[in-house]
């Protein structure tokens, strides 16, 4: 007993010393891989698990700790893996269960972590569970999905028809996303048991956690009320105004917040595991998923508002301020600027790599977890591909919709454009595969934008990202220190500045969003840790720093 108390005190003391009171996943850095596009090890034109294994040293050298892989489980691939037909097996084009196990252990050998993508909200319509459920009203799985005699007025997440007719049952099933992705019924305890079984299956194999697909819609209003009624059921006084606008009868149900805690408890059986929720909504809503009082729901959740950032100091000042206010310790925000669904950063910034560097500078130096999409480290951009030839089913939903309208809002309906193969070098297929045809065409710019070219170029995005992640890894204050924003009026126009402090160090981050050169007088003598640009204009002398247009710096005492 005494020994136990001693160990307890010792651990408490050590965590005070290192500041590591938070779980590892609040201090980590995440690199997202879209397996189909990362590296093709057997030259069939499709990226695979062995391909990822071959590139682990590359990711390690970049400095990332955690890898999140988009799904590679058994699937008819109609939504490229987000339509799962067996949660405990691997689609043959990606490899085998042994490959997945090897991936986990190779990641761990390098001192890194790996999280898988769990799509719990829906299965594929080819999943044996659904086939059985759809076969009659009386089979043992009849109640595993959401069946109704008549549709209500809900629309799918894509604002399309969400109820789909099945003759065998003379009924409709609900699908929050695409018609071939029927939603599971978590009010049936057997469904929950089966899904938690699959979660445990992977935890037993050593996976470090999960990214959770479409977590808002896990539960639907049990009475299938049209949206007006369900608003009241979950709204509370402190909800922000726009809550009313976003709530839908199939989203954000009280049971979903409870489910987050149950899932957390399952993970806790295996130690500290990352649960990263794909949650849409305002901060108040996100807090319901991560925990209102304590961080006892999902460990982390995305805030996708920032994907549509404005390249302005004011925008980021407000973003950081609100994230600090709404996710103070023991919570941690996630800083995400691109993923496998939305436009890449270079595309949003019209190819301006110096600007993109600044967003990343902010992403890795704020308090929270940076989540980084593969290829961003070389400044990959979206290809432009006609919607009618798209492999992505989403691109075919509104055939009459003029492309320029989608462009105008700064998004794309064709997710193929941002899922093109990783550009490794200037050889055939950008070194991704030596197949005649890759699953998606390699981007046209691969001869100039690739890992091998950028490794040799001093001022490249790749070299910047490598030093940036390294800076974050070397300075604990960036991973877990406080964040103190400098009031805008103390800085030149369109500049952002903040301190990151812990018990041992104090760092200052300065970012010039303007295209004009800026001079800042520092209160104390500081030295440079990192500059976003190697240009001569960015310099530090006699307590004064001159920042070139669109450049930034990290300084330390
Ligand atoms: O996405 C859910 C989602 O609502 C969006 O990000 C969506 O992909 C986008 O608005 C469409 O243009 C998740 C996954 O991230 C996505 O890849 C899957 O297709 C989807 O769920 C279904 O599982
Ligand atoms: Ca392959």
């Amino acid at each position: 007993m005494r020994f136990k108390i001693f160990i307890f005190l010792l651990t408490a003391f050590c965590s005070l010393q290192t500041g590591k009171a938070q779980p590892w996943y609040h201090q980590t850095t995440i690199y997202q891989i879209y397996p189909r596009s990362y590296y093709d090890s057997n030259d069939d034109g499709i990226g695979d698990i062995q391909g990822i294994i071959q590139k682990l040293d590359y990711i390690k050298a970049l400095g990332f700790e955690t890898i999140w892989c988009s799904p590679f489980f058994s699937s008819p691939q109609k939504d490229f893996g987000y339509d799962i037909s067996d949660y405990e097996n691997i689609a043959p084009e990606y490899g085998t269960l042994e490959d997945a196990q090897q991936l986990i252990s190779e990641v761990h050998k390098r001192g890194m972590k790996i999280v898988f993508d769990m799509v719990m909200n829906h299965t594929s319509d080819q999943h044996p569970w659904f086939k059985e459920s759809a076969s009659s009203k009386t089979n043992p799985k009849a109640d595993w999905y959401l069946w109704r005699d008549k549709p209500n007025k809900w629309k799918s997440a894509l604002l399309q028809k969400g109820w789909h007719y099945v003759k065998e049952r003379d009924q409709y099933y609900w699908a929050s996303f695409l018609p071939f992705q029927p939603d599971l019924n978590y009010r049936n305890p057997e469904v929950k048991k089966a899904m938690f079984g699959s979660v445990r299956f992977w935890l037993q194999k050593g996976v470090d956690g999960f990214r959770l697909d479409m977590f808002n819609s896990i539960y639907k209003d049990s009475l299938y009320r049209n949206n007006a009624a369900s608003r009241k059921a979950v709204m509370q006084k402190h909800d922000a105004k726009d809550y009313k606008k976003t709530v839908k009868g199939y989203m954000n149900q009280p049971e979903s917040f409870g489910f987050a805690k149950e899932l957390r408890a399952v993970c806790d059986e295996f130690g500290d595991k990352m649960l990263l929720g794909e949650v849409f909504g305002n901060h108040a809503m996100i807090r319901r998923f991560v925990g209102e009082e304590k961080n006892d729901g999902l460990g982390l959740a995305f805030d996708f508002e920032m994907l549509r950032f404005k390249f302005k100091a004011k925008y980021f000042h407000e973003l950081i301020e609100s994230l600090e206010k709404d996710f103070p310790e023991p919570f941690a925000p996630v800083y995400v600027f691109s993923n496998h669904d939305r436009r890449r950063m270079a595309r949003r910034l019209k190819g301006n790599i110096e600007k993109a560097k600044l967003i990343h500078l902010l992403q890795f130096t704020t308090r929270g977890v940076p989540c980084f999409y593969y290829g961003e480290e070389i400044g990959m951009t979206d290809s432009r591909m006609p919607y009618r030839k798209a492999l992505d089913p989403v691109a075919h939903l509104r055939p009459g919709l003029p492309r320029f309208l989608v462009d105008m809002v700064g998004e794309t309906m064709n997710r193929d454009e941002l899922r093109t193969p990783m550009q490794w070098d200037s050889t055939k297929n950008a070194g991704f595969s030596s197949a005649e045809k890759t699953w998606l065409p390699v981007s046209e710019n691969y001869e100039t934008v690739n890992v091998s070219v950028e490794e040799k170029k001093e001022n490249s995005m790749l070299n910047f990202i490598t030093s940036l992640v390294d800076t974050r890894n070397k300075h604990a204050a960036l991973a877990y220190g406080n964040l103190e924003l400098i009031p805008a009026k103390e800085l030149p126009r369109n500049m952002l500045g903040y301190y990151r402090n812990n018990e041992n160090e104090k760092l200052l981050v300065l970012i010039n969003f303007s295209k004009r050169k800026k001079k800042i007088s520092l209160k104390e003598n500081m030295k440079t840790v990192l500059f976003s640009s190697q240009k001569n204009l960015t310099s530090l002398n006699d307590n004064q720093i001159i920042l070139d247009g669109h450049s930034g710096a990290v300084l330390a005492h």
Side-chain angles (χ1 to χ4, degrees):
M1 186 61 192
R2 260 204 208 147
F3 181 69
K4 269 196 186 157
I5 292 174
F6 172 73
I7 292 291
F8 173 77
L9 288 175
L10 188 71
T11 344
F13 177 73
C14 288
S15 61
L16 272 180
Q17 280 295 296
T18 57
K20 282 186 177 162
Q22 302 103 311
W24 66 269
Y25 51 76
H26 278 186
Q27 301 174 56
T28 196
T29 47
I30 307 175
Y31 185 83
Q32 182 194 354
I33 290 180
Y34 197 68
R36 213 172 176 83
S37 289
Y38 205 56
Y39 187 65
D40 176 14
S41 73
N42 61 349
D43 296 322
D44 61 355
I46 299 175
D48 44 57
I49 297 180
Q50 283 301 331
I52 300 174
I53 294 174
Q54 288 183 36
K55 295 296 182 185
L56 288 179
D57 289 331
Y58 165 79
I59 304 166
K60 174 80 183 168
L62 274 178
F64 285 89
E65 182 187 36
T66 301
I67 296 173
W68 149 33
C69 290
S70 280
F72 38 50
F73 310 106
S74 304
S75 159
Q77 306 293 333
K78 282 214 226 161
D79 192 16
F80 298 105
Y82 284 93
D83 48 331
I84 296 173
S85 55
D86 183 352
Y87 288 82
E88 299 178 14
N89 220 328
I90 304 296
E93 62 252 71
Y94 297 129
T96 60
L97 265 183
E98 288 69 43
D99 292 327
Q101 182 72 72
Q102 192 193 340
L103 174 63
I104 298 171
S105 57
E106 290 292 331
V107 164
H108 289 166
K109 259 191 222 163
R110 289 164 177 80
M112 296 162 74
K113 313 260 186 198
I114 184 154
V115 303
F116 284 2
D117 206 320
M118 275 307 274
V119 188
M120 299 181 147
N121 178 69
H122 48 263
T123 67
S124 156
D125 61 0
Q126 299 306 304
H127 196 297
W129 297 344
F130 184 74
K131 287 193 183 164
E132 188 177 341
S133 187
S135 66
S136 73
K137 282 186 187 172
T138 51
N139 69 75
K141 294 200 168 47
D143 194 28
W144 277 45
Y145 293 81
L146 302 162
W147 295 97
R148 297 236 321 159
D149 294 338
K150 279 212 172 71
N152 65 3
K153 288 188 180 160
W154 295 350
K155 288 269 182 264
S156 76
L158 296 158
L159 301 176
Q160 305 254 317
K161 204 173 78 171
W163 291 102
H164 308 280
Y165 184 72
V166 169
K167 220 169 73 207
E168 285 71 18
R169 292 183 58 138
D170 188 24
Q171 276 187 317
Y172 298 79
Y173 67 87
W174 171 253
S176 294
F177 205 68
L178 289 158
F180 54 82
Q181 290 162 317
D183 282 33
L184 284 161
N185 174 17
Y186 282 97
R187 290 204 174 79
N188 181 334
E190 284 175 38
V191 172
K192 204 189 274 182
K193 201 170 148 215
M195 195 52 85
F196 286 172
S198 295
V199 166
R200 289 193 177 91
F201 174 86
W202 289 112
L203 289 169
Q204 265 147 15
K205 292 197 179 298
V207 79
D208 299 294
F210 305 96
R211 176 264 186 191
L212 304 161
D213 195 65
M214 289 192 60
F215 209 75
N216 295 88
S217 39
I218 288 285
Y219 281 84
K220 304 355 100 158
D221 178 41
S222 60
L223 302 173
Y224 295 99
R225 285 168 292 193
N226 288 320
N227 291 338
S230 58
R231 268 185 207 159
K232 263 197 178 158
V234 277
M235 219 182 76
Q236 284 189 2
K237 257 196 254 144
H238 61 276
D239 280 322
K241 272 202 285 341
D242 59 335
Y243 176 66
K244 274 192 197 164
K245 282 186 259 163
T246 55
V247 71
K248 295 195 176 103
Y250 67 89
M251 281 172 79
N252 306 329
Q253 300 299 302
E255 292 97 325
S256 301
F257 313 133
F259 186 83
K261 292 196 174 151
E262 281 178 75
L263 178 60
R264 170 69 177 266
V266 172
C267 288
D268 284 349
E269 294 166 18
F270 296 82
D272 260 359
K273 299 291 174 180
M274 177 191 285
L275 284 174
L276 169 56
E278 187 194 33
V279 174
F280 294 84
N282 60 36
H283 292 177
M285 182 51 67
I286 298 172
R287 272 296 289 273
R288 295 177 156 216
F289 285 99
V290 295
E292 300 261 42
E293 308 296 326
K294 291 189 279 181
N295 184 209
D296 54 358
L298 307 181
L300 294 164
F302 291 116
D303 167 16
F304 289 120
E305 290 301 309
M306 66 183 87
L307 286 176
R308 296 181 54 79
F309 63 86
K310 290 197 180 70
F311 191 80
K312 284 199 166 83
K314 186 167 183 279
Y315 171 88
F316 285 104
H317 191 104
E318 285 169 7
L319 174 75
I320 296 171
E321 198 166 43
S322 71
L323 289 168
E324 283 298 304
K325 180 172 132 289
D326 299 330
F327 303 97
E329 273 180 35
F331 301 93
V334 179
Y335 281 85
V336 61
F337 295 102
S338 43
N339 63 26
H340 64 293
D341 289 332
R342 308 281 289 273
R343 285 219 172 290
R344 280 186 179 273
M345 176 137 39
R347 174 63 194 244
R348 288 189 195 274
L349 293 170
K350 302 195 170 65
N352 189 327
I353 290 302
E354 293 309 311
K355 283 188 178 178
K357 283 181 183 172
L358 298 190
I359 310 288
H360 288 308
L361 178 60
L362 180 139
Q363 184 179 30
F364 285 85
T365 57
T366 37
R367 189 189 63 87
V369 177
C371 187
F372 192 94
Y373 188 44
Y374 85 93
E376 294 289 301
E377 71 272 29
I378 49 171
M380 267 173 75
T381 192
D382 302 359
S383 290
R384 198 172 168 89
M385 303 176 184
Y387 286 179
R388 88 201 123 71
K389 287 203 190 143
L391 302 182
D392 177 13
V394 171
H396 299 281
L397 292 178
R398 292 178 187 83
L401 184 68
R403 167 96 194 203
F404 76 90
L405 283 181
V406 192
D407 283 344
M408 258 165 63
V409 289
E411 298 289 345
T412 178
M413 293 279 291
N414 183 3
R415 296 173 296 174
D416 293 354
E417 297 181 337
L418 41 108
R419 296 172 174 177
T420 57
M422 176 66 182
Q423 294 160 210
W424 295 104
D425 57 41
S426 309
T427 64
K428 182 180 170 186
N429 298 328
F432 159 72
S433 163
S434 60
E436 266 327 296
K437 197 167 175 256
T438 54
W439 83 281
L440 279 178
V442 168
S443 166
E444 281 173 6
N445 69 10
Y446 80 91
E447 282 176 337
T448 47
V449 177
N450 68 53
V451 173
S452 150
V453 161
E454 294 195 25
E455 267 168 356
K456 292 171 208 120
K457 213 166 87 189
E458 209 193 332
N459 218 10
S460 68
M461 183 63 130
L462 182 64
N463 287 329
F464 173 68
I465 295 295
T466 313
S467 341
L468 176 60
V469 187
D470 184 55
T471 303
R472 180 174 164 114
N473 292 343
K474 285 201 179 119
H475 295 272
L478 294 177
Y480 67 81
N482 302 333
L483 187 147
E484 194 191 313
L485 271 165
I486 301 174
K489 57 180 188 308
E490 289 177 21
L491 290 166
R493 239 172 78 88
N494 214 3
M495 274 216 48
L496 179 74
Y498 47 88
Y499 290 100
R500 297 297 313 279
N501 314 316
N502 70 3
E503 58 287 1
N504 302 319
E505 51 179 354
K506 184 169 187 176
L507 299 176
L508 170 61
V509 182
L510 290 170
I511 304 180
N512 181 6
F513 283 87
S514 136
K515 59 174 186 264
R516 291 199 182 82
K517 181 163 70 164
K518 303 271 158 134
K519 198 192 282 175
I520 302 112
S521 309
L522 302 171
K523 286 193 186 125
E524 50 232 313
N525 203 357
M526 295 187 104
K527 60 179 189 300
T528 321
V529 174
L530 181 79
F531 273 146
S532 73
S533 138
Q534 307 297 320
K535 287 185 213 155
N536 299 334
L537 278 173
T538 312
S539 60
L540 179 66
N541 283 314
D542 307 328
N543 287 10
Q544 256 196 3
I545 182 167
I546 298 171
L547 280 181
D548 199 11
H550 299 156
S551 77
V554 181
L555 310 173
H557 278 292

